[in-house]
């Protein structure tokens, strides 16, 4: 965890020369870069990075967290439930939960440096009951209409791409039969991965690209 955290801080190493940051901030930032941090500093990592960015740019920070729950699924696969009591989590898995509760909770809960956050995952935050301290958030799933058009390519977008790639009408119909398989919020959507692979392949080859991903 600390190694990956150091990589995130390395992307913003320019902050070490920022005139807006105090020497105390820079010294602490250097510890993150060298992975010489305590458990408490690991839990505070995202919030501290937000604070530094906010001071440097003089504006609040947007935080984008993709697949927030993938670490939980991986940890559960590795550690699972308690061997003595299969109806309880193992102590190792509880440690992972505790870390992420602190890590994300400190960053997303009433922080003055946060403008807004977007968190994606397959588990609904409210139902997962992982971050009981968080509030003032809205959840959207694939069945919600507000963002349904962004879960795949719409027919209009596919028509534009096919025109750019000089796809014949016969081929367009075949593409529709293969990749127009989603229906979200009343919209029919195309599989984006398969569409890109097909349109940018030689002779617009149609096959099951999804299995190869």
């Amino acid at each position: 965890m600390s190694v990956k955290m150091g990589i995130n801080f390395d992307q913003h190493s320019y902050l070490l020369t920022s005139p807006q940051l105090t020497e105390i901030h820079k010294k602490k930032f250097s510890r993150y870069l060298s992975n010489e941090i305590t458990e408490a500093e690991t839990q505070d990592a995202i919030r501290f990075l937000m604070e530094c960015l906010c001071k440097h740019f003089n504006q609040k920070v947007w935080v984008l967290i993709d697949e927030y729950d993938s670490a939980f699924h991986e940890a559960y696969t590795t550690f699972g439930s308690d061997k003595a009591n299969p109806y309880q989590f193992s102590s190792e898995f509880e440690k992972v939960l505790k870390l992420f509760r602190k890590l994300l909770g400190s960053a997303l809960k009433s922080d003055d440096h946060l403008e807004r956050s977007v968190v994606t995952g397959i588990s609904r935050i409210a139902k997962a009951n992982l971050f009981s301290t968080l509030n003032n958030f809205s959840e959207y799933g694939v069945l919600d209409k507000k963002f349904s058009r962004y879960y795949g390519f719409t027919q209009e977008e596919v028509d534009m791409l096919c025109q750019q790639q000089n796809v014949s009408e016969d081929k367009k119909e075949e593409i529709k039969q293969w990749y127009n398989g989603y229906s979200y919020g009343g919209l029919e959507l195309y599989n984006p991965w398969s569409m890109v692979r097909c349109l940018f392949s030689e002779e617009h080859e149609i096959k099951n690209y999804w299995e190869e991903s």
Side-chain angles (χ1 to χ4, degrees):
M1 173 60 70
S2 60
V3 174
K4 292 184 178 180
M5 197 66 68
I7 294 173
N8 291 328
F9 276 78
D10 186 60
Q11 295 174 348
H12 301 284
S13 57
Y14 56 86
L15 292 172
L16 288 173
T17 59
S18 172
Q20 280 72 39
L21 268 62
T22 67
E23 289 304 315
I24 294 176
H25 280 91
K26 293 176 182 178
K27 185 176 180 180
K28 184 175 180 179
F29 195 97
S30 296
R31 291 206 302 274
Y32 280 100
L33 286 175
S34 60
N35 295 309
E36 297 175 354
I37 53 177
T38 64
E39 181 179 347
E41 287 175 326
T42 300
Q43 296 170 355
D44 191 50
I46 298 177
R47 189 214 60 78
F48 175 68
L49 181 57
M50 289 165 51
E51 179 182 348
C52 293
L53 290 170
C54 184
K55 288 180 178 295
H56 177 74
F57 292 104
N58 193 30
Q59 62 182 32
K60 293 187 176 183
V61 177
W62 279 69
V63 176
L64 310 179
I65 302 175
D66 188 27
E67 296 184 353
Y68 85 94
D69 50 355
S70 62
F72 304 121
H73 296 298
E74 182 177 348
Y76 188 76
T77 300
T78 303
F79 303 117
S81 56
D82 191 304
K83 294 181 179 179
N85 188 347
Y87 296 101
Q88 291 184 353
F89 294 139
S90 66
S91 59
E92 291 85 357
F93 183 67
E94 287 286 0
K95 291 178 182 178
V96 175
L97 289 180
K98 179 182 177 181
L99 171 61
F100 276 88
R101 284 193 182 110
K102 295 285 188 179
L103 184 68
L104 300 183
S106 65
L108 306 182
K109 170 71 173 178
S110 302
D111 191 281
D112 293 336
H113 310 102
L114 177 66
E115 177 66 28
R116 188 167 295 182
S117 176
V118 178
V119 181
T120 69
I122 62 173
S123 303
R124 286 185 176 268
I125 292 179
K127 291 186 179 297
N129 194 29
L130 295 171
F131 311 112
S132 57
T133 59
L134 295 183
N135 51 26
N136 298 325
F137 64 87
S138 300
E139 286 187 324
Y140 299 96
V142 295
L143 300 180
D144 294 300
K145 293 183 179 181
K146 186 171 184 178
F147 300 106
S148 57
R149 66 178 287 109
Y150 302 110
Y151 295 130
F153 288 157
T154 64
Q155 184 64 57
E156 180 182 2
E157 291 168 332
V158 169
D159 290 341
M160 178 188 68
L161 289 170
C162 287
Q163 183 178 7
Q164 292 176 351
Q165 297 301 315
N166 299 316
V167 178
S168 67
E169 290 298 322
D170 290 341
K171 180 69 74 171
K172 282 174 62 177
E173 186 60 34
E174 191 176 359
I175 286 174
K176 184 173 183 178
Q177 293 176 7
W178 269 75
Y179 306 129
N180 183 15
Y182 297 98
S183 179
Y184 293 143
L187 288 176
E188 291 186 359
L189 301 173
Y190 287 74
N191 181 319
W193 172 259
S194 297
M195 282 300 309
V196 170
R197 294 292 303 275
C198 172
L199 292 178
F200 291 91
S201 66
E202 280 191 43
E203 301 181 356
H204 309 132
E205 183 181 5
I206 292 179
K207 63 179 183 180
N208 192 356
Y209 293 103
W210 184 252
E211 285 187 352
E212 295 183 4
S213 65

